[in-house]
Amino acid sequence: MKKDKLLIIEDDAELRTQMKWGLGKDYQIYQAEGRFSALEILKNEHPLVVTLDLGLPPKTDSTEEGFQTLVDILGHDAMAKVIVITGQHEKENALAAIGRGAYDFLSKPVHLEDLRLIIARAFHVARLEREHRELQKQAAGDVFEKMLGTSPQMLKVFEVIQKVANTDAPVLIQGESGTGKELAARAIHSRSARCKGPFVAIDCGAIPETLLESELFGHEKGAFTGAHIQRLGRIEASQKGTLFLDEIGELSPHLQAKLLRFLQEHQIERVGGRESIQVDARILAATNRDLDQALKDGRFREDLYYRLGVLVISIPPLRERNGDILLMAKAFLQRFSSENQKRLETFTAQAVQAIKRHTWPGNIRELENRIKRAVIMADGTRVKPEDMELNVLGDGFKGQSLKEAREALERDMVNQALDRNNSHLTRTASELGISRPGLYDLMDRLGIKR
Ligand SMILES: Nc1ncnc2c1ncn2[C@@H]1O[C@H](COP(=O)(O)OP(=O)(O)OP(=O)(O)O)[C@@H](O)[C@H]1O
Ligand SMILES: [Mg+2]
């Protein structure tokens, strides 16, 4: 088992060594002599518990640097449990440290047994706190195994994932490009009894057929020119775990037949081999094109289709997930701006409109990429439509008559003006440059409730 990480901040080398010696059996110890090296370790290793000597250099007789270190640690990770170690008769400093967010204190000379006890309890509390936060996040319904979503469509998908995870049957995951098929496959794996085993993904559309066979099934030495050594395939690599076959519709007839045999008998033969090898792997497959059409055209075997599609999950395109688009856009904005040390906080009202109007042919991958670009391009604190290279009008007007487009625009403008004016009708009318009765008529015609 992996040991928990403990950071010891102490300028006295002798004391540091003693502590490491006394605690190293139970914890993975990191040591720092001062504030900067401590913060470096904190950022890279994320220890849950820290012991902090308050009298740090440059002025070891004052607690100034020690307190600053405490503030910096908690500023970086508010949930870190900091145990402050003070000189004798420094109760006041100890209490001041608690007041600033330290978890507990201990006075020198440090008795190892006391320290051990306090540290063990600190780890316990730290873990509980983090678990609690995870649960809260999940209860908020925003995220399920890294998948964001609160729309009824996605809640349904999460429910189905949860159900199928408990079985061992193959699952066929359908959805347009970039809708999160692989993420769904990973969610099924991590919620299944196989979660401790490997998750192996292979994109059948990205590998030429000649290579794909040995990639999937492996080969024996000398099986073909260039096969200098024996090689295990991805199917064997997913022993006791899950194999995710992406773009299953791209499989050639030959490989479809081989895969079918594996699904029926749970056995494979390596290319150029004679021996049958037993493999216990669960199969998940994904397709972004209409497999039905491939079936009709005879490009995909029906018997394989029925084997793979015992359970089917359809992931809806982004444009059909009401509310999720903005939820995700905001989450991506937060993630990328902190990754890029930018201070982008929100989207302008126009940017929100543009996001809502766009039809997102590339789905979530496209949303992610546009926001990544926006974070790099944008100045100031708010993202504008141009930063995402989205047209203010969006492409939402494509294929509409002029009348429909005009009404859509009018509806947006009236709704926005109502929002800005807290539904105060006189002010809204005046902002839009129309009379109050004119606004009433317009709202009735557009079906906006008063
Ligand atoms: N519900 C979601 N919440 C947050 N991020 C998501 C969600 N769904 C997908 N993503 C992100 O969008 C990107 C595309 O997802 P993924 O690769 O799972 O889609 P896909 O359907 O397999 O795409 P493709 O058809 O191109 O293979 C990934 O970066 C993924 O992390
Ligand atoms: Mg994919």
Side-chain angles (χ1 to χ4, degrees):
M1 229 182 62
K2 259 187 157 170
K3 291 182 194 166
D4 281 320
K5 295 176 178 177
L6 171 70
L7 169 59
I8 296 173
I9 311 173
E10 170 62 65
D11 59 317
D12 178 340
E14 197 179 325
L15 191 52
R16 248 190 356 247
T17 315
Q18 268 181 28
M19 288 170 73
K20 175 163 183 175
W21 179 80
L23 298 163
K25 190 164 68 69
D26 300 317
Y27 303 105
Q28 187 177 346
I29 309 281
Y30 294 89
Q31 309 181 43
E33 296 169 36
R35 175 153 66 105
F36 294 105
S37 50
L39 288 172
E40 201 57 33
I41 294 171
L42 200 72
K43 277 179 198 150
N44 296 326
E45 302 298 334
H46 313 288
L48 300 186
V49 177
V50 179
T51 73
L52 169 64
D53 177 15
L54 272 190
L56 287 180
K59 285 188 266 171
T60 45
D61 52 343
S62 109
T63 51
E64 206 176 300
E65 186 73 1
F67 273 114
Q68 189 56 49
T69 308
L70 174 63
V71 170
D72 288 355
I73 291 175
L74 294 175
H76 181 75
D77 176 4
M79 291 212 271
K81 295 283 160 271
V82 183
I83 299 161
V84 166
I85 299 182
T86 63
Q88 260 174 324
H89 318 300
E90 284 187 14
K91 192 100 190 213
E92 269 169 38
N93 284 332
L95 291 177
I98 301 273
R100 293 196 202 176
Y103 165 74
D104 206 342
F105 68 90
L106 204 62
S107 329
K108 285 183 184 174
V110 173
H111 295 292
L112 201 57
E113 281 318 304
D114 296 349
L115 183 61
R116 231 195 267 282
L117 202 68
I118 294 183
I119 290 176
R121 203 163 41 106
F123 271 108
H124 181 66
V125 173
R127 273 191 296 262
L128 281 181
E129 252 180 38
R130 275 162 217 256
E131 256 170 45
H132 179 70
R133 191 180 54 176
E134 270 318 297
L135 284 177
Q136 261 184 337
K137 258 203 227 156
Q138 285 183 16
D142 285 4
V143 60
F144 172 91
E145 296 287 337
K146 300 197 180 138
M147 300 180 83
L148 285 163
T150 53
S151 62
Q153 292 88 335
M154 282 315 279
L155 294 183
K156 184 82 206 155
V157 169
F158 299 157
E159 201 185 310
V160 177
I161 289 178
Q162 183 61 57
K163 276 193 191 140
V164 304
N166 294 324
T167 75
D168 221 20
V171 181
L172 182 64
I173 304 168
Q174 291 177 334
E176 286 178 17
S177 163
T179 44
K181 295 186 292 295
E182 178 156 351
L183 220 48
R186 287 180 186 277
I188 294 173
H189 173 73
S190 40
R191 297 245 159 176
S192 76
R194 296 174 174 273
C195 62
K196 296 251 158 61
F199 177 89
V200 179
I202 181 163
D203 187 342
C204 305
I207 303 175
E209 131 121 78
T210 44
L211 294 181
L212 188 57
E213 179 167 12
S214 101
E215 196 64 38
L216 277 172
F217 294 88
H219 62 248
E220 297 294 347
K221 185 175 171 181
F224 46 83
T225 340
H228 300 301
I229 48 167
Q230 183 201 57
R231 190 157 169 249
L232 300 192
R234 303 285 180 102
I235 298 183
E236 269 184 271
S238 56
Q239 187 73 267
K240 298 263 177 285
T242 306
L243 177 68
F244 175 53
L245 299 169
D246 208 349
E247 302 300 339
I248 191 79
E250 301 293 322
L251 274 190
S252 68
H254 170 61
L255 290 182
Q256 288 179 33
K258 283 194 80 163
L259 182 64
L260 180 64
R261 181 172 164 240
F262 169 60
L263 283 169
Q264 285 165 337
E265 295 164 20
H266 305 287
Q267 288 184 346
I268 58 157
E269 272 160 29
R270 300 189 192 118
V271 177
R274 299 243 171 83
E275 182 198 0
S276 284
I277 298 155
Q278 194 77 23
V279 180
D280 166 28
R282 183 190 197 173
I283 305 291
L284 306 176
T287 170
N288 71 22
R289 12 169 252 209
D290 210 354
L291 259 193
D292 289 338
Q293 192 56 46
L295 279 169
K296 272 185 208 134
D297 301 348
R299 279 177 289 117
F300 203 84
R301 295 175 70 116
E302 222 168 299
D303 43 7
L304 179 59
Y305 176 77
Y306 290 119
R307 280 265 165 185
L308 287 173
V310 178
L311 302 166
V312 178
I313 297 184
S314 293
I315 314 236
L318 189 55
R319 60 188 165 279
E320 286 173 17
R321 304 183 202 177
N322 289 328
D324 283 357
I325 302 189
L326 279 184
L327 177 82
M328 285 187 200
K330 285 177 188 162
F332 291 147
L333 181 63
Q334 260 187 9
R335 187 203 303 164
F336 296 132
S337 49
S338 77
E339 274 177 20
N340 290 281
Q341 274 98 39
K342 286 258 203 151
R343 306 182 119 240
L344 289 159
E345 280 146 21
T346 47
F347 298 91
T348 63
Q350 286 92 337
V352 170
Q353 286 308 318
I355 289 173
K356 283 186 180 164
R357 282 218 194 88
H358 189 63
T359 51
W360 300 107
N363 290 294
I364 301 153
R365 190 188 313 285
E366 183 190 353
L367 179 66
E368 231 177 345
N369 288 341
R370 282 192 191 264
I371 292 182
K372 207 181 274 178
R373 174 166 50 211
V375 167
I376 294 164
M377 300 309 289
D379 304 312
T381 58
R382 301 200 303 162
V383 174
K384 299 177 290 301
E386 311 84 270
D387 301 326
M388 298 179 284
E389 288 187 11
L390 284 181
N391 189 327
V392 185
L393 288 179
D395 54 5
F397 292 112
K398 258 185 219 154
Q400 290 186 351
S401 70
L402 190 57
K403 178 166 176 285
E404 285 165 342
R406 188 165 52 219
E407 277 188 5
L409 185 61
E410 281 176 339
R411 190 173 295 112
D412 275 347
M413 287 190 66
V414 172
N415 277 327
Q416 280 183 41
L418 282 166
D419 276 352
R420 272 194 297 274
N421 294 292
N422 291 321
S423 301
H424 192 292
L425 295 180
T426 315
R427 283 205 294 264
T428 303
S430 111
E431 183 186 318
L432 291 171
I434 51 179
S435 67
R436 214 177 122 106
L439 179 61
Y440 285 152
D441 288 346
L442 192 58
M443 286 170 73
D444 288 343
R445 182 159 60 77
L446 298 171
I448 300 173
K449 287 211 183 66
R450 284 188 210 159

